[in-house]
Amino acid sequence: MAELHDLGDRYLAVIVVYYFHGAAFLVDPSVHDVGPTIAITLSVGALFTAWIVYDGIWRTLGETNQRAATALSIAILFGSIYAFTQVFSGRAAYIQTGVMIGTLMTGNVWMVIVPSQRALIEATKFGKEQDPKLSQQAKARSIHNNYLTFPLIFIMVSNHFPAATTHYLNWLILIAVMIGGAGIRHFMNIRYRGGGLELSKAAWLGPAVAMGGIAMFGLLIISHMEPKPKYGIDHPVSFTRVQEIIGNRCLRCHSQHPADEIFTAPPLNVMFDTPEQIRTMAPRIKYRAYDLANMPFNNKTQITDTERAELATWVSAGAR
């Protein structure tokens, strides 16, 4: 029941945060300008399709060639991650991946593992021969759930890593973290060989640390790779121009009286109504609008790359 409860919490969070309010957190026009109804339909449909495809692979190909089924499943998972980042906002793409994985894990438990256990127990009770196929299926799905645990934990907290979720290579970062997390789990799994025997620390801890390095490479290295030259400009920017940009692109939400239909109060109580408020928040403006480029929220006000660069140039020059 714990798996169902956890999955229910995830679904509820997705519905409330990403499907309500016109799918404002689900859709990012700068990524793909899709309507909220279509985006929600794609999100929900992807979850059902994922289970049907995954379960079908492991009930057919997985029974005869597990290596091929594993390779195909991983390819589809990574392809799904890339597809999600091309349709949804960065943070929504990560959460969509997490909910998809949670759906597969819960489906494994309640559609394969538990029924197999019950059938094996019933066979034992009535003195019948156990079907080895059921045991093999349950074992395979249990292993899948085991390897997906660490990647899922990262996805659950991914909203705290905007440098990853909003990066132009956010799909590659997530794939690197998933490879690293699953790799750590693999070497933890092979640490114990049974019969009280244990591999030497060098044989499992070293490779586990190396796999962790792949995850950290995604978070610390790939996330700092910038696309081309960062839309730079070569002229000074006046405060009058900064006020114009902020007035056109930011005041819709960050004002004492927001005009936005979603944010009826200034987010985090950040307001740009006065020159003093703008100057006080100057470093934050550069960080969110230029370095991360994740503000304005989902680029609802259609700020341009040149305008982002102008804000950054003004801040770098001392925010005078």
Side-chain angles (χ1 to χ4, degrees):
M1 293 300 293
E3 290 82 2
L4 286 178
H5 185 268
D6 290 343
L7 185 64
D9 288 344
R10 295 190 193 105
Y11 282 146
L12 182 60
V14 169
I15 292 171
V16 172
V17 176
Y18 293 96
Y19 293 172
F20 285 3
H21 308 298
F25 286 89
L26 182 65
V27 177
D28 184 347
S30 66
V31 174
H32 191 75
D33 194 6
V34 60
T37 301
I38 295 176
I40 294 171
T41 301
L42 290 173
S43 175
V44 174
L47 301 180
F48 286 99
T49 302
W51 170 253
I52 293 172
V53 172
Y54 164 78
D55 189 55
I57 289 173
W58 284 92
R59 289 187 184 275
T60 54
L61 181 61
E63 294 185 1
T64 57
N65 191 333
Q66 290 198 357
R67 288 188 176 181
T70 299
L72 181 58
S73 298
I74 293 174
I76 293 175
L77 173 60
F78 290 171
S80 298
I81 292 172
Y82 179 78
F84 293 155
T85 60
Q86 304 309 300
V87 176
F88 306 126
S89 69
R91 59 184 289 183
Y94 275 47
I95 296 300
Q96 176 75 22
T97 301
V99 175
M100 182 182 72
I101 290 174
T103 300
L104 300 184
M105 294 174 70
T106 303
N108 282 340
V109 172
W110 292 102
M111 303 296 288
V112 179
I113 297 174
V114 171
S116 296
Q117 290 177 339
R118 289 173 177 169
L120 294 171
I121 292 172
E122 286 295 313
T124 301
K125 281 183 178 180
F126 293 99
K128 298 179 181 179
E129 185 176 353
Q130 292 186 342
D131 184 355
K133 178 181 174 181
L134 295 176
S135 179
Q136 293 168 2
Q137 287 179 344
K139 178 182 178 181
R141 303 300 181 95
S142 180
I143 291 174
H144 298 172
N145 285 6
N146 178 272
Y147 278 85
L148 290 170
T149 301
F150 284 177
L152 185 59
I153 291 174
F154 167 74
I155 292 173
M156 291 170 63
V157 299
S158 61
N159 284 344
H160 297 287
F161 298 92
T165 59
T166 64
H167 195 269
Y168 78 106
L169 292 176
N170 51 7
W171 59 273
L172 184 58
I173 294 172
L174 181 53
I175 288 175
V177 172
M178 295 192 74
I179 292 173
I184 293 172
R185 172 59 74 181
H186 171 70
F187 288 103
M188 291 176 66
N189 288 342
I190 67 171
R191 174 182 177 182
Y192 298 102
R193 305 173 62 184
L197 299 178
E198 180 181 356
L199 292 176
S200 65
K201 287 187 177 180
W204 73 270
L205 185 57
V209 171
M211 296 306 296
I214 295 177
M216 297 308 295
F217 174 80
L219 287 174
L220 301 180
I221 305 300
I222 299 178
S223 65
H224 284 80
M225 294 179 179
E226 294 187 357
K228 308 174 196 156
K230 188 90 165 171
Y231 25 84
I233 58 174
D234 57 2
H235 59 80
V237 179
S238 68
F239 183 67
T240 300
R241 174 56 178 159
V242 169
Q243 282 186 303
E244 179 186 359
I245 296 172
I246 290 177
N248 292 334
R249 310 302 185 185
C250 308
L251 280 182
R252 175 175 173 175
C253 298
H254 292 287
S255 172
Q256 186 175 1
H257 303 289
D260 189 78
E261 67 279 2
I262 302 299
F263 298 103
T264 56
L268 301 178
N269 202 36
V270 173
M271 293 176 284
F272 301 133
D273 295 304
T274 68
E276 291 73 20
Q277 289 172 330
I278 295 174
R279 279 194 291 266
T280 298
M281 297 300 296
R284 189 68 176 171
I285 290 172
K286 178 178 181 294
Y287 179 66
R288 296 300 298 272
Y290 180 79
D291 295 333
L292 295 182
N294 63 357
M295 282 290 162
F297 174 68
N298 284 350
N299 201 12
K300 297 179 69 174
T301 56
Q302 300 299 305
I303 190 173
T304 66
D305 289 349
T306 299
E307 289 171 332
R308 294 183 187 277
E310 287 178 311
L311 292 175
T313 300
W314 170 72
V315 175
S316 297
R320 292 185 293 271

